[in-house]
Amino acid sequence: MSTGSYNFEQLDDASFQTTRLYQQSQAIRGMEAGILRAAGLKPSHDVLEVGSGPGFVSDLLAELAPEGSLHAVEPSPMLSAQIDANVSAKPARGLFVHQAFGNALPIGDAQIDFAYARFVLQHIPQALDVVREVHRVTRSGGRFCAVDSDDGLVIFHPQEPRVSDLLRDAQTVQAAQGGDRFIGRKLQGMMGEAGFVNVKTRVLALTSSELPFQVLFNILLGYKASLLGGAVDVRALYAELADKVASGRLMVAAGVFIVSGEKA
């Protein structure tokens, strides 16, 4: 399987991307803990994380399921090698790092109580295959929560033509690599098709008056700018937009889809 539109080893700004992932995870850590608990994560659960990256969110999952176990699955050898060091407190039944793709999980049938995929499925050409594989490894009564973006929920007011152009160009490049910038709206249907029941969808709004603009900017545009290489002067664009946000001349908002389902 391909990593699709996210191949960490091929990024020319890997250090920036790692910093971006860390800042993002820390800025919304409390919010994300609430999402995970609401989706059904319990302290005793055996947990699966699909697309763990360097382990910044793995640390939160381990904290929320201290009596259980955590299977962290990440295809990148560079990122998977960092996971153990970034999980500060290992779950009682163990932390298991798997360098593997999401459509071929090295886990037996019905072993997982709670699975999580965070900003991962947008990058994968065969996202439905991954959701089906998660269904296979989940126990009856277990839960799967997917959090992902959808560019249809990105709002800049007043409209910023350079941002609109960046979004459009990134959508084209990501689609050519097998990704989907509009995956959020499709997750409920995917989960149902994979066999999950009681699938629920909600949208969480993030705005420039709630999050530090640097964090929101990196969530919205940091990865997209890296897709386009040097075509965008990201620092100059950030500085100009940050000034407008600080003075109240610009409002930025984005929606995140949170979709969860249960295995019958």
Side-chain angles (χ1 to χ4, degrees):
M1 184 183 185
S2 163
T3 52
S5 61
Y6 196 94
N7 189 325
F8 189 82
E9 276 73 15
Q10 293 182 6
L11 294 176
D12 59 7
D13 59 350
S15 177
F16 166 75
Q17 292 299 324
T18 300
T19 300
R20 180 182 69 85
L21 292 172
Y22 178 75
Q23 289 177 339
Q24 178 181 302
S25 68
Q26 294 304 302
I28 62 172
R29 187 177 176 102
M31 186 186 305
E32 192 160 16
I35 290 170
L36 289 164
R37 290 189 183 102
L41 179 58
K42 306 293 185 189
S44 61
H45 276 172
D46 293 309
V47 179
L48 164 67
E49 181 187 16
V50 180
S52 301
F56 300 139
V57 178
S58 313
D59 184 62
L60 174 61
L61 290 166
E63 178 185 300
L64 296 177
E67 303 159 22
S69 66
L70 173 60
H71 292 264
V73 176
E74 170 55 50
S76 162
M78 189 181 298
L79 292 176
S80 61
Q82 301 176 46
I83 294 172
D84 186 82
N86 284 324
V87 177
S88 55
K90 310 300 190 282
R93 291 199 294 274
L95 167 66
F96 305 94
V97 176
H98 308 278
Q99 187 191 328
F101 290 105
N103 70 332
L105 297 171
I107 299 170
D109 294 352
Q111 299 295 307
I112 298 297
D113 298 302
F114 186 90
Y116 190 43
R118 173 194 190 270
F119 300 124
V120 170
L121 296 175
Q122 63 171 281
H123 297 295
I124 298 173
Q126 301 87 23
L128 179 58
D129 291 348
V130 175
V131 179
R132 286 179 170 142
E133 183 71 344
V134 171
H135 185 270
R136 177 187 68 79
V137 303
T138 302
R139 295 183 174 116
S140 178
R143 307 279 302 170
F144 176 36
C145 177
V147 172
D148 226 313
S149 53
D150 191 307
D151 279 0
L153 299 177
V154 177
I155 298 170
F156 279 70
H157 182 76
Q159 189 171 344
E160 286 280 344
R162 287 166 302 166
V163 172
S164 300
D165 291 346
L166 192 159
L167 290 173
R168 183 196 64 240
D169 293 345
Q171 289 158 9
T172 301
V173 172
Q174 192 163 346
Q177 296 177 2
D180 185 353
R181 295 297 320 164
F182 300 93
I183 191 76
R185 67 191 69 183
K186 303 169 186 176
L187 293 175
Q188 180 168 318
M190 280 187 190
M191 282 201 187
E193 190 171 346
F196 288 97
V197 299
N198 301 323
V199 181
K200 305 291 185 185
T201 296
R202 70 184 182 97
V203 173
L204 173 68
L206 304 172
T207 73
S208 51
S209 63
E210 295 176 299
L211 282 180
F213 182 64
Q214 181 183 14
V215 173
L216 186 57
F217 180 88
N218 285 336
I219 290 174
L220 290 178
L221 302 178
Y223 167 71
K224 299 178 185 69
S226 76
L227 275 179
L228 304 178
V232 179
D233 187 339
V234 180
R235 296 182 193 279
L237 180 60
Y238 168 74
E240 186 175 334
L241 296 180
D243 181 66
K244 290 183 178 181
V245 167
S247 64
R249 291 177 289 141
L250 176 67
M251 190 284 300
V252 181
V256 176
F257 276 86
I258 302 168
V259 185
S260 61
E262 179 182 348
K263 184 170 180 178

